[in-house]
Amino acid sequence: VGSISGTSGTAVGAAGTGGTGGAPQGRLGQLEAEVRRCREERQRAEACLSEAKAQSCELEARFAEIASVSQDAARQAADANEHAEQLRHALEAKDARLIEVQEAREGLDSERQLAWRRREELEVAFQERLRREVSQKEQELLEEVAYLRRSQELKEKKLRDLVVEREALDRRSGGSTLAAAAAAAAAAGSSAGP
């Protein structure tokens, strides 16, 4: 603008000098038109600069907003990642606990089956022992009954023999020896007891 003004001043001076010297007036009109054109271009340039500044401010505001949103998104993403990591750790802990519970359950099932088998073995052994003891006791009782039966039969046979002997004595000695024979039989029965 200064150069334009200087040019216009020089032009005006030249015009004055030319006026003095009789220079044509057309040159001054051209210079003034050039000055007006330059001023208009300057005004347009200033308007474009103002518009560019406004756009720059708008872009800076939008960039700040985008940056803020980006920071919020990054923070939310970091929080989501941390939460996902916590969930993963919790899931791993639950899986490990589930494995422990499953192993403990399998161990308890194995122990229970072992206990059932042991119980069945003990029941079989008890039944077998009880059967043997009952059989042995029955055998002992049968033997005792047989012994008692034989003893009874021996007593009865001895008693019959004594009766026969007494009758024979009675027939030989008569009624005087009857009491003695009875006493002898009683004594024999006492001595032959179990």
Side-chain angles (χ1 to χ4, degrees):
V1 176
S3 62
I4 295 173
S5 299
T7 304
S8 62
T10 305
V12 171
T17 305
T20 305
Q25 295 292 325
R27 178 63 180 168
L28 179 62
Q30 291 177 357
L31 292 175
E32 290 178 352
E34 183 70 19
V35 169
R36 286 194 300 270
R37 185 178 64 78
C38 290
R39 287 178 179 174
E40 290 175 357
E41 289 180 356
R42 177 182 178 183
Q43 290 177 356
R44 286 195 296 272
E46 289 178 350
C48 289
L49 180 61
S50 299
E51 185 178 358
K53 287 182 178 180
Q55 290 179 356
S56 176
C57 292
E58 183 180 358
L59 289 175
E60 288 179 356
R62 290 181 62 185
F63 178 78
E65 182 180 358
I66 292 172
S68 176
V69 171
S70 177
Q71 290 178 355
D72 292 339
R75 185 167 52 252
Q76 291 177 0
D79 293 340
N81 290 331
E82 183 178 1
H83 185 62
E85 189 69 16
Q86 293 175 355
L87 291 177
R88 187 177 66 82
H89 287 308
L91 183 60
E92 290 177 353
K94 289 183 178 179
D95 290 340
R97 180 59 181 166
L98 181 62
I99 292 173
E100 292 178 358
V101 171
Q102 186 68 25
E103 291 177 351
R105 179 180 178 181
E106 291 176 356
L108 289 175
D109 290 340
S110 178
E111 291 179 359
R112 183 175 61 183
Q113 292 176 0
L114 182 61
W116 274 107
R117 286 196 298 270
R118 181 60 179 166
R119 177 184 174 184
E120 291 176 354
E121 291 174 356
L122 290 174
E123 288 180 352
V124 170
F126 175 76
Q127 293 294 334
E128 182 63 23
R129 180 179 177 184
L130 182 63
R131 186 187 64 78
R132 287 198 304 267
E133 291 180 355
V134 169
S135 178
Q136 183 179 357
K137 194 66 176 177
E138 288 178 352
Q139 185 64 30
E140 291 176 356
L141 290 174
L142 290 175
E143 291 176 357
E144 185 176 357
V145 168
Y147 172 75
L148 292 175
R149 186 175 294 152
R150 288 193 301 271
S151 298
Q152 183 68 24
E153 289 176 355
L154 289 174
K155 288 179 182 180
E156 290 177 356
K157 184 178 181 300
K158 191 172 184 180
L159 183 59
R160 286 194 299 270
D161 292 341
L162 289 174
V163 169
V164 170
E165 184 179 355
R166 187 186 64 183
E167 290 177 351
L169 289 173
D170 287 341
R171 284 194 297 271
R172 286 197 302 267
S173 61
S176 60
T177 60
L178 183 59
S190 307
S191 62

